[in-house]
Amino acid sequence: FAGMGVSPTTERQVLAEASNRIPFFQYRVQFSPDGFAVSRPYEGGTFRVIAVGRVEENKGFLDLVEVARILRDIAPVPVHFDICGDGSVRARVQQLVAAHKLQDRVTVHGRLAREPLLDVYAKAHALIVPTRSTFTEGMPHVCAEAVLTGLPVVASGWSIVAAKLVPVTPATLGSPSRSSTVGARSDAWQNWWR
């Protein structure tokens, strides 16, 4: 038996569980920039944030609705979330968006084919990885996709994202105690459009 993973953090976790009795091999993925257009920098108007992945509670997608609600009240510019993906809480996300009257702040696209997804990336100003602290996140492929488009990545400080991607805006890294996005994280957003 052997262990394999994408980070020193994963290696430490696996070796600790195995009492250092197995070899561990780190691997790195490679991504082609083919098809990815460099996103335009934010120059005013609506600030667009993309979230891509399995729409699950532990992946933080329900929290994005709360973040959108908070930012509607405190952000000096409109902030719009484009949620791309499918999962067990997608319908609940849509219900919460409607209940909080956030249709102008959150679009739930569902799972998109490559070309429409690349179009959403091209219009975004940042990518958010809203994973909650109750889920051990590996290296989300969406982060590599964001880097290929030149988007900053918003993630919590415990995520492997901070260790493996440069640059990650330090102001966006924080405590994952409730989730990686709600509460204290709302404060960090205020600096993005300045």
Side-chain angles (χ1 to χ4, degrees), residues 110-161:
R111 190 173 198 282
L112 296 175
R114 182 172 171 77
E115 289 305 315
L117 179 61
L118 292 176
D119 289 343
V120 176
Y121 268 110
K123 294 173 185 165
H125 301 108
L127 170 108
I128 188 166
V129 181
T131 306
R132 290 177 151 229
S133 60
T134 56
F135 182 78
T136 302
E137 185 73 82
M139 175 58 194
H141 289 200
V142 298
C143 295
E145 292 170 351
V147 168
L148 291 172
T149 62
L151 293 176
V153 176
V154 180
S156 66
W158 59 268
S159 173
I160 186 63
V161 172

